[in-house]
Amino acid sequence: MKLPVMAAEHLSQLQAFEAKILCNHAKIEAWFRSQWNAHRPPFYGSVDIRNAGYKISSIDMNLFPGGFNNLNPNFIPLAAVAAQDAVQRACETAKSVLIIPENHTRNTFYLQNVYALSEILRSAGYEVRLGSLNPEVTEPTEFETALSDKILLEPLLRTRERVHLADGFSPCVVLLNNDLSAGVPDILKDISQTVLPPLHGGWTTRRKTEHFSAYNQVAAEFAKLIDIDEWQINPYFEKIGGLDFQEREGEDALAEAVERVLAKIQAKYGELGITDQPFVIVKADAGTYGMGVMSVKSADEVRGLNRKNRNKMAKVKEGLEVSEVIVQEGIYTYETMNGAVCEPVVYMMDRFVIGGFFRVHEGRGADENLNADGMVFVPLSNSIPTGSGDNSQEAPEACKRVFEEWDSLGMPRSEKDCDVDNEHNRLYVYGVMARLSLLAAALELEQTAP
C-alpha cells in the first residue's frame, strides 16, 4: 500500500530519526528481548501514534482494544501465532478461551470486532465462547455483526470461584474485551481463573498518568540506548485532580498546569528552532473512545468554558464523572492520506506486533484529536501479499510467509542498513514506538498490581 505523505518541510527530520532507528535495529531487538524476559507483556493492546517528523510518539495505550475488525484479514496467521504464545503463557494446558465483551450489543461494528478477535483465537486452535455481563442477555442469544456474521452471546454465570456458561464451559483463561469503565462486577472478583488483562488494568482503577509515568522510564532507557534526545519520543504531561467541570472547581489549577506544559514545549521548540505553536491535549485520566478530550493552545481556553464544553469534559463512557485529567503535550500529525490528516494505530498481542491501520479524519486539523465522529480507518491492506487464516493447520506456514514478505511493523524490510528511501521501513519505526508503549504498560501493570 502507499503510506501517508509526510509534510515536505518535516521529511528530512523524520528520515534522520528513521535512519537512527534502522541503523540500531539489532541493538533495539536485543534490548526488547531482554525487556520481555524481565517483564510480562499484556495479553494485547493498541497504541495511537502521532508523527510530526521532528517528534514521533505513542499518545495513548488501550489495554482492551476494539477494532480488530479494522485489521487486514491476512494478518490472522500472524495474530494466531502470537495468540498461541500469549494463551500458553497464561495456562499451558488451555484448550479454550472465554471472552467477556462490552455490553453494547447494538453497536454492530463493535460486534464485528468481537467476531474478528474470536476468529484469531480459533485460528490459533482454541475453542472460543462469549460470556456476557449484559443483564439483558438472559439466555444464549445470536447477534448479527456489521458484516452479517453471527456471534452467540451467553449469560456469564459463577459457581464458587469459577465463572462459566450454562453448559459448564469454564476454561482456565478468561479474556476481557471489556474495559470495566462501569466498575469491576462482583462476578469477576476473586475468581481462580486467569483474567487477561488483569482486573486492575480496567478504567475502574487504571490512570493514563500512571501509564506515562512508566513510559518515562522506558523512553529514557531507550533514548540512552540509541543516543537520541528523549523528548523526540516522549510527550510532557501533568496530572490535575480535584476537578468538577460542571461547578468549575479546579479551573485555576488546570489553567496553571496548561501554562506550565505549554511553557516547557515552547522552551524546547525554541531550543530546536521549531516554529509550530505549542498545544496540549486535556483528557480524562481514565477513559477511552475519545471522550473527554480537548485541544488547547492557551490557558485562557480552559478558564470559563462554555456549557457545551463543560458538558463534553464532565463525563465519559458509562456516565463516569471526570475529576482527574492528564494535560499532555500535543504532537502535530504531519502525515496525510489523500489530503486528510491521519495517525497510525498499531495492534499487538503478547510481545508481537500483529498489524494496524491508519485513523483518517477529513474534518480535523493536524493539532486535533482524530478519535472522533467522522473518522475512517484505512487498514494496511496490501502489506501482506500471501498467506491466509482459513484454518489453524495453515497458520505456521502462512505466518512464515508473512514474516518473509510483509513490509513489516515487526522487522525492517530492506537488507540495506539505514534505508530510509524504502518508505515501508517507516512501518518498522511505528512498530518500535508501539512496543515502547507496550513495555510501559507491562511496567505499569506490575507497579499498580494490588
Side-chain angles (χ1 to χ4, degrees), residues 24-215:
N24 285 282
H25 160 249
K27 184 186 292 186
I28 289 169
E29 295 306 318
W31 180 77
F32 272 123
R33 286 193 297 272
S34 69
Q35 295 298 319
W36 299 135
N37 284 334
H39 307 287
R40 181 174 177 173
F43 182 88
Y44 54 10
S46 65
V47 174
D48 297 346
I49 295 170
R50 298 277 285 205
N51 185 1
Y54 55 79
K55 180 161 189 161
I56 178 171
S57 177
S58 158
I59 58 163
D60 217 351
M61 168 77 197
N62 188 353
L63 285 175
F64 303 88
F68 282 97
N69 53 306
N70 295 318
L71 300 182
N72 181 345
N74 285 333
F75 285 101
I76 287 180
L78 181 65
V81 172
Q84 285 177 340
D85 194 79
V87 173
Q88 191 170 19
R89 277 184 191 234
C91 177
E92 289 186 3
T93 60
K95 296 180 180 179
S96 52
V97 176
L98 177 61
I99 297 178
I100 300 179
E102 296 278 1
N103 287 351
H104 37 250
T105 53
R106 293 178 180 83
N107 184 337
T108 59
F109 289 100
Y110 174 74
L111 297 181
Q112 192 68 51
N113 155 74
V114 174
Y115 176 82
L117 176 59
S118 300
E119 286 302 292
I120 289 172
L121 289 161
R122 290 189 180 105
S123 294
Y126 297 103
E127 180 185 2
V128 180
R129 304 269 292 275
L130 306 175
S132 178
L133 296 169
N134 191 334
E136 296 178 6
V137 179
T138 58
E139 60 183 6
T141 307
E142 189 174 77
F143 290 85
E144 187 170 298
T145 71
L147 298 180
S148 300
D149 293 304
K150 303 291 193 300
I151 62 172
L152 183 69
L153 295 184
E154 304 178 65
L156 187 67
L157 306 173
R158 177 168 174 166
T159 301
R160 292 182 290 277
E161 295 181 352
R162 294 186 71 88
V163 291
H164 58 89
L165 303 181
D167 62 359
F169 181 83
S170 181
C172 60
V173 173
V174 176
L175 178 60
L176 290 176
N177 198 244
N178 182 315
D179 64 20
L180 305 179
S181 290
V184 178
D186 289 340
I187 197 171
L188 292 178
K189 292 178 180 176
D190 301 316
I191 62 174
S192 61
Q193 293 136 301
T194 298
V195 180
L196 301 172
L199 295 176
H200 71 278
W203 287 123
T204 307
T205 51
R206 187 183 183 219
R207 296 295 179 266
K208 294 177 183 179
T209 44
E210 289 173 343
H211 173 76
F212 282 99
S213 292
Y215 186 83

Side-chain angles (χ1 to χ4, degrees), residues 350-376:
D350 198 67
R351 60 196 184 279
F352 303 106
V353 176
I354 62 165
F357 52 80
F358 294 98
R359 179 183 287 121
V360 185
H361 204 306
E362 291 185 345
R364 293 285 172 120
D367 58 352
E368 293 183 282
N369 170 37
L370 304 188
N371 189 6
D373 289 344
M375 62 182 168
V376 295

Side-chain angles (χ1 to χ4, degrees), residues 217-235:
Q217 299 174 242
V218 172
E221 187 172 339
F222 183 78
K224 184 177 180 181
L225 177 76
I226 64 170
D227 191 26
I228 60 171
D229 182 348
E230 180 189 340
W231 177 81
Q232 284 186 274
I233 59 170
N234 193 8

Side-chain angles (χ1 to χ4, degrees), residues 207-370:
R207 296 295 179 266
K208 294 177 183 179
T209 44
E210 289 173 343
H211 173 76
F212 282 99
S213 292
Y215 186 83
N216 280 344
Q217 299 174 242
V218 172
E221 187 172 339
F222 183 78
K224 184 177 180 181
L225 177 76
I226 64 170
D227 191 26
I228 60 171
D229 182 348
E230 180 189 340
W231 177 81
Q232 284 186 274
I233 59 170
N234 193 8
Y236 297 133
F237 75 91
E238 282 195 30
K239 176 176 181 172
I240 298 295
L243 297 171
D244 185 329
F245 282 96
Q246 297 289 19
E247 300 298 325
R248 293 184 169 172
E249 293 178 7
E251 207 170 74
D252 288 338
L254 176 58
E256 290 166 5
V258 168
E259 285 182 335
R260 286 192 297 270
V261 178
L262 286 172
K264 288 180 70 175
I265 302 168
Q266 185 59 69
K268 195 66 180 182
Y269 280 8
E271 174 189 328
L272 299 175
I274 297 170
T275 58
D276 287 333
Q277 181 180 1
F279 73 101
V280 297
I281 297 293
V282 178
K283 53 189 174 184
D285 204 15
T288 185
Y289 287 94
M291 302 174 72
V293 180
M294 60 181 175
S295 178
V296 175
K297 292 184 176 177
S298 164
D300 291 339
E301 294 180 45
V302 298
R303 288 191 176 100
L305 287 174
N306 61 32
R307 180 176 296 276
K308 178 182 177 181
N309 285 327
R310 292 204 311 276
N311 290 340
K312 172 185 171 183
M313 293 300 298
K315 293 184 179 181
V316 290
K317 185 183 171 191
E318 305 288 353
L320 296 180
E321 294 187 1
V322 176
S323 61
E324 301 170 325
V325 299
I326 177 174
V327 179
Q328 186 181 56
E329 175 185 355
I331 301 175
Y332 284 85
T333 177
Y334 286 133
E335 290 183 300
T336 58
M337 188 171 285
N338 297 322
V341 294
C342 66
E343 63 189 13
V345 182
V346 178
Y347 277 62
M348 293 159 291
M349 273 192 170
D350 198 67
R351 60 196 184 279
F352 303 106
V353 176
I354 62 165
F357 52 80
F358 294 98
R359 179 183 287 121
V360 185
H361 204 306
E362 291 185 345
R364 293 285 172 120
D367 58 352
E368 293 183 282
N369 170 37
L370 304 188

